[in-house]
Amino acid sequence: MKNIVILGSTGSIGVSALDVIKALGPSYKVLALSARSNTELFLKQLIDFKPKYAVVNSQESYDKIKNSIPAEVKLLEPSVDSLCEIASLKEADLVINGLVGSAGFKPLMSAIKAGKVIALANKEPIVMAGALIMKECQKYSATIVPVDSEPSAVFQSLENCDIHTYREAAKNIKKVLLTASGGPFLKYQGNLDDVKPAQALAHPRWKMGKKITIDSATLMNKGFETIEIMHLFNLPLEKVKIVVHPQSIVHSAVEYEDGAIVAELSNPDMRLPIQYAITYPKRFPCPVKPLSLLDMARLDFMEPDFSAFPCLALAQHAAKHGGSFGAVLNGADEVCVEAFLKEKIKFTDIAKIIEKVFNSHQKDFKTQISIEEALAFDIWARQKAQEFIK
Ligand code: MG
């Protein structure tokens, strides 16, 4: 029996995780769930899965649902502390972090300090303070299992892949081939200055939340994943090569010294990497439509276009210099994505504003940061980005 906590159960990762858990059967039990504003779906999930604990991280949501909770579910106070509490429950065997953005940072740190196995979909904390997070994992014997489809593909392509030793195993690889769909604007003929949120939200391959879909359109998501892979697998930037692959069938690959390339291929559906993070090292039937190689006409691979997608270079700058740049990159990006979705700035302003925030940060750059500093740089970057947006 595996007791599972899901942070962000009404988001796209959470919904997929519950779908997988339901299909896996009674050996996998939902211990705690959290959500923020989608109270209708959350209540339905509480009735369906009857977790021991539930958290809604807003007073408004709390007031809305507190009288409708099933008797067996304990609704905790609406606070970040409660998220941290369920992320570190003694009975929890696995914590799935499906939160969005830096909101997942504190609950992740709590899970780490409790020495948990964490299925991590929420890549932003790693972007903000990856070096520190990996150090804390070591200190508290916590383990991160990748959920993001690309790091999961790398994990699955490693020799003797084991959740406790995969960082060691990664020492033997020549490079990671990190695949990118290219997003909705791959080979776009129009002017990227003029694209509207609805166009940027129309991802050709993946159905995901809004924040990550915009990050995919700017290719910032691929920059974030570069940083994520560097930290998770302890690799330098030079060993992570981005390859555009529009069909999103090869979810990333590992190239070995002898030239052999080992990859993971499947239909683009997050339920597969989520399920593997839950059932590792075992594999079971999954609700995802099996991939038929015979149905595929072709698989294309090409170089990314750094000039059309300047967010890539900004993320690589943060990846190369590390330290405080990650927290600044993430904070500025979250503010810019939100401003773009509200049509306060143009699509192309996202990279321009982040670059301005970087330039302002240069003089205060620190090569090593503490948790408090990561959070402080995040706040600073948000304020700075806001100043440039006005
Ligand atoms: Mg991904």
Side-chain angles (χ1 to χ4, degrees), residues 15 55 57 205 288:
V15 168
V55 178
N57 192 16
R205 297 282 164 211
V288 175

Side-chain angles (χ1 to χ4, degrees), residues 195-197 211 214 331-347 349-350 353 382 385-390:
V195 304
K196 296 282 172 221
K211 159 76 169 46
I214 300 302
D333 179 63
E334 281 189 36
V335 167
C336 289
V337 168
E338 209 181 296
F340 169 67
L341 284 170
K342 289 181 179 156
E343 299 194 51
K344 285 184 183 165
I345 60 170
K346 289 186 282 190
F347 182 75
D349 287 336
I350 296 175
I353 291 168
R382 284 164 193 274
Q386 286 293 359
E387 282 174 31
F388 291 123
I389 286 167
K390 272 174 199 155

Side-chain angles (χ1 to χ4, degrees), residues 123 148-151 212 221-222 225:
K123 69 194 84 170
D148 198 1
S149 62
E150 297 81 358
I212 186 171
N221 185 51
K222 218 40 64 180
E225 285 170 356

